[in-house]
Amino acid sequence: MNVLLAVRMYVSKMIQESGPGMKVLLMDRETIGIVSVAYAQSEILQKEVYLFEQIDKSGNGPIMKHLKCVVFLRPSQENVQFLASELKSPRYGVYYIYFSGIISKASIKVLAEADEQEVVREIQEFYADFFAVGPHLFSLNLEKPILGMEWNPNCLQRCVQGVLSVLLSLKKNPIIRYQNFSSLARRLAENIRDTILKESSLFHFHRGESIPLLLILDRRCDPITPLLNQWTYQAMVHELLSIKNNRVNLVGVPGAPKDMSEVLLSAEQDEFYANNMYLNFGDIGQTIKSLMDEFQMKAKSHQKVESITDMKAFVENYPQFKKMSGAVTKHVTLVGELSRLVTQHNLLEVSEAEQELACQEEHTQSLTKIRRLLVTDQIRDLDAARLVFLYAIRYHKHPSKDIVGLVDLLRRRGTPVRLIDCVEGILRYASSGETAGSSILTTKDVTKITEKIFKGLKGVENVFTQHSPVLKEIIDNMVKGRLSEDAFPTVGGESSPARIQDVVIFIVGGVTHEESFAVHQFCRANMGIRIALGGTLIHNSQSFISDVEAAVKYLAAGDAKYPHNSAPSGSGRHSKLT
């Protein structure tokens, strides 16, 4: 159930099958990202790949018949047409073609007709149609897949293809369950099931006693988790600096080396990151110090080059020393910038207020604290808005709520109109999950799950990590056989497996690093359970807010914008959303 290993094996195999000799790797915009997340460029170069090209930009390139061309593309009509044009006037000696998903017979015919010079040696389907961010975490990198609480049709199709690719790469033919309140989850589940039946010859895997499970969830079941500040290393970097395809842009970061405009954060390539990605920020400082001490000791030993033996040892160890030097510089820069941002924007106090909103029943205390923070210049507009979002979701039914007053404070501090308007959007988004489920999800089990959005945790020492995502409770109930059939029905009427072992969880509307951490912890504590977790996108708070804006943009004007409360005065958007 290692999605990263599955992609690495596919990439390695497609390069090996072309045999020895110099190669060019011809990809599209998405497969470039899929490969780069799984492999460092230096690793690919070691496999005799000397040139990388993007198919929509390669038409006028030089003719190099001495090179073999390994083609890795998504099976889109556009890519098939680009490839057909390439094959009609081939620039390379031979072509080994691999598609990341199921390719139609019509597309194969187009390529066969284009291959007039018979340069194609192989066409295969290698199911790596997703971004394997880590061993158990994958993404489809889809922004704004939901428009007006309906699927963007292209994104729905991409999700079907991506999830099928995950199942095929892991060799799983699962039972499919979905969150019943969500028409989005149901449509995706049904479309996946229909395709599995249509392509039954591909899904011939033996199920055994423990039948695999595909569980499709909707982000609306937990709109809180993506809005919270994070305090594990990986999640903090994504929240404050943003990680895209395992890369962090450091342009504009004070003190960052000039040759370090972008850094790679991959557990596969970086031992320090692999060992510390889930560590709390409070502990990262100590581990960075240990890394620095180790590096300084090695640096001192390299200074003593006094004999031929010393010189030989230095040359042999230099690549490792240089790699360690780069790792030290990278992580010291990252942790230094995180520390600067935490201090500059008063994120400790902001996070404490967030955790109180998410986990405690202290309306008056939380309201007072939020009011005080909203008039503080030190905190960012984004953080001010997130506090109001969380308050609105948490207390929109409270008799003493003051959403209108908090929105007014946002306006007074000059918060961008987009964020002010999003208070309404966040409420609509959260309420659409809450209301849609209220008439359907009536069992006690479901009530417990939805209540986990806001639940104080006893015995938690760190006030900044009290919150536990809803996903954790869902997984626990799933493994114990307590997931309600009404709330999480199966597609096709199949019975749920009595014993759970292999599970693929896909969240429509995006997944977070906090949820990935929860899965990591759960699997470590339950060694017999294997879980692959994915979503339309890996969210930080900004990407989630952007998705919510798109999701609620076209909703009917008659919806209640501020349930049981009047709309904020002066917003200019009382009657409808724009």
Side-chain angles (χ1 to χ4, degrees):
M1 288 288 286
N2 187 325
V3 291
L4 178 57
L5 180 61
V7 173
R8 286 178 62 85
M9 288 178 66
Y10 276 135
V11 175
S12 181
K13 190 176 180 183
M14 69 176 71
I15 294 172
Q16 287 174 0
E17 286 188 351
S18 61
M22 296 174 66
K23 306 172 185 70
V24 57
L25 191 53
L26 182 61
M27 298 175 284
D28 60 46
R29 280 169 291 183
E30 278 200 78
T31 54
I32 285 172
I34 289 167
V35 172
S36 68
V37 167
Y39 267 100
Q41 187 172 353
S42 57
E43 281 187 289
I44 296 286
L45 290 171
Q46 291 171 9
K47 297 178 180 292
E48 297 185 294
V49 176
Y50 296 101
L51 184 63
F52 302 87
E53 284 197 338
Q54 188 171 312
I55 191 157
D56 58 337
K57 298 179 180 178
S58 63
N60 299 319
I63 295 173
M64 293 178 280
K65 296 290 186 179
H66 61 288
L67 290 180
K68 297 177 179 180
C69 184
V70 178
V71 182
F72 181 45
L73 303 172
R74 295 203 66 251
S76 68
Q77 288 186 351
E78 183 184 31
N79 282 341
V80 169
Q81 291 303 320
F82 279 130
L83 184 54
S85 298
E86 172 74 27
L87 295 177
K88 282 181 180 177
S89 304
R91 294 177 297 125
Y92 305 106
V94 290
Y95 289 76
Y96 295 81
I97 301 170
Y98 303 91
F99 288 102
S100 65
I102 300 169
I103 184 78
S104 68
K105 291 180 180 178
S107 295
I108 296 292
K109 185 180 178 183
V110 169
L111 295 176
E113 291 173 350
D115 185 25
E116 296 170 355
Q117 298 185 36
E118 298 184 353
V119 291
V120 176
R121 294 292 178 270
E122 197 166 276
I123 296 182
Q124 284 194 62
E125 295 172 351
F126 274 10
Y127 306 107
D129 205 14
F130 54 92
F131 297 80
V133 176
H136 71 267
L137 180 63
F138 68 93
S139 169
L140 300 183
N141 282 9
L142 289 175
E143 297 178 4
K144 303 177 183 176
I146 312 302
L147 302 175
M149 294 319 304
E150 296 291 341
W151 274 108
N152 174 332
N154 292 335
C155 291
L156 174 59
Q157 181 63 18
R158 179 67 183 91
C159 285
V160 172
Q161 294 167 340
V163 175
L164 285 172
S165 181
V166 171
L167 297 175
L168 287 167
S169 69
L170 298 175
K171 296 179 170 55
K172 303 299 177 186
N173 180 12
I175 284 173
I176 304 171
R177 299 182 72 176
Y178 63 93
Q179 215 156 11
N180 201 13
F181 83 81
S182 171
S183 62
L184 303 169
R186 185 184 70 250
R187 279 194 67 191
L188 178 58
E190 290 172 347
N191 284 15
I192 290 171
R193 178 65 176 168
D194 290 345
T195 310
I196 288 176
L197 292 175
K198 181 182 175 183
E199 304 288 347
S200 56
S201 60
L202 294 176
F203 290 87
H204 58 271
F205 316 116
H206 179 63
R207 282 180 166 180
E209 291 182 16
S210 177
I211 303 174
L213 174 65
L214 169 62
L215 181 61
I216 299 177
L217 306 177
D218 189 316
R219 179 75 267 163
R220 288 175 293 167
C221 77
D222 180 6
I224 300 305
T225 297
L227 290 172
L228 297 173
N229 265 301
Q230 301 301 316
W231 295 101
T232 55
Y233 188 28
Q234 179 188 44
M236 277 189 80
V237 173
H238 188 44
E239 176 59 36
L240 297 177
L241 299 173
S242 190
I243 306 172
K244 185 171 184 179
N245 291 348
N246 284 349
R247 283 162 174 77
V248 183
N249 188 332
L250 294 181
V251 174
V253 170
K258 291 182 180 179
D259 61 344
M260 199 173 275
S261 60
E262 184 180 79
V263 295
L264 178 68
L265 273 187
S266 167
E268 197 74 20
Q269 314 294 331
D270 187 331
E271 185 180 358
F272 178 86
Y273 183 62
N275 293 335
N276 297 283
M277 58 196 288
Y278 296 128
L279 211 60
N280 276 332
F281 187 62
D283 300 320
I284 285 288
Q286 188 58 45
T287 57
I288 285 287
K289 185 179 183 303
S290 300
L291 182 67
M292 284 287 293
D293 291 344
E294 183 184 352
F295 174 70
Q296 286 171 349
M297 286 178 63
K298 290 191 176 183
K300 286 179 181 178
S301 68
H302 281 310
Q303 291 173 357
K304 299 176 182 178
V305 182
E306 299 172 350
S307 65
I308 297 297
T309 305
D310 291 339
M311 291 175 67
K312 184 180 177 183
F314 174 79
V315 170
E316 288 175 349
N317 293 325
Y318 181 72
Q320 184 181 356
F321 174 76
K322 189 176 180 182
K323 183 179 179 181
M324 187 178 184
S325 171
V328 170
T329 305
K330 172 171 67 178
H331 290 292
V332 167
T333 301
L334 284 172
V335 173
E337 178 62 4
L338 294 179
S339 182
R340 184 185 73 84
L341 292 172
V342 167
T343 303
Q344 180 176 331
H345 302 306
N346 199 17
L347 292 183
L348 288 174
E349 192 171 1
V350 170
S351 181
E352 186 176 352
E354 292 173 354
Q355 293 289 326
E356 287 177 6
L357 280 168
C359 303
Q360 296 176 22
E361 284 279 358
E362 296 289 346
H363 174 263
T364 303
Q365 180 179 319
S366 289
L367 183 58
T368 301
K369 184 172 287 188
I370 295 170
R371 283 171 174 162
R372 180 173 55 79
L373 287 170
L374 292 188
V375 296
T376 304
D377 293 335
Q378 190 178 1
I379 74 167
R380 300 176 299 176
D381 289 328
L382 173 66
D383 297 320
R386 284 193 297 110
L387 286 171
V388 179
F389 298 159
L390 290 165
Y391 175 87
I393 298 171
R394 180 70 179 91
Y395 290 115
H396 69 268
K397 293 181 180 178
H398 195 280
S400 303
K401 65 188 171 298
D402 188 20
I403 301 173
V404 173
L406 294 180
V407 169
D408 193 49
L409 286 176
L410 286 179
R411 189 174 294 105
R412 289 183 190 178
R413 61 174 281 131
T415 305
V417 174
R418 168 182 167 257
L419 289 174
I420 294 173
D421 288 346
C422 203
V423 176
E424 175 186 326
I426 289 283
L427 257 181
R428 285 189 172 193
Y429 182 88
S431 298
S432 67
E434 176 185 289
T435 337
S438 61
S439 59
I440 301 171
L441 312 184
T442 55
T443 67
K444 292 182 179 179
D445 287 338
V446 184
T447 304
K448 287 179 182 177
I449 291 170
T450 53
E451 284 178 352
K452 281 294 285 188
I453 294 177
F454 298 107
K455 183 176 180 181
L457 301 178
K458 296 179 180 178
V460 178
E461 294 179 5
N462 191 338
V463 296
F464 305 110
T465 56
Q466 299 173 64
H467 176 260
S468 178
V470 174
L471 179 66
K472 189 174 180 180
E473 183 81 355
I474 291 176
I475 292 173
D476 192 51
N477 283 338
M478 173 188 70
V479 170
K480 293 175 180 176
R482 295 177 181 172
L483 272 191
S484 161
E485 290 288 347
D486 292 332
F488 297 89
T490 58
V491 179
E494 292 188 274
S495 300
S496 298
R499 187 166 66 91
I500 298 290
Q501 185 173 348
D502 295 337
V503 185
V504 175
I505 299 174
F506 186 80
I507 303 180
V508 176
V511 68
T512 67
H513 282 300
E514 183 180 347
E515 287 156 334
S516 172
F517 181 39
V519 167
H520 169 76
Q521 288 180 309
F522 185 89
C523 291
R524 286 189 65 181
N526 300 271
M527 298 301 288
I529 310 296
R530 297 187 290 262
I531 299 175
L533 174 67
T536 44
L537 187 72
I538 298 177
H539 278 310
N540 59 15
S541 61
Q542 294 186 61
S543 64
F544 175 64
I545 291 167
S546 181
D547 264 17
V548 169
E549 286 178 310
V552 302
K553 189 171 184 180
Y554 303 105
L555 286 182
D559 293 348
K561 292 180 286 186
Y562 288 85
H564 312 293
N565 198 0
S566 58
S569 58
S571 69
R573 305 205 174 187
H574 294 183
S575 59
K576 64 178 182 178
L577 288 170
T578 57

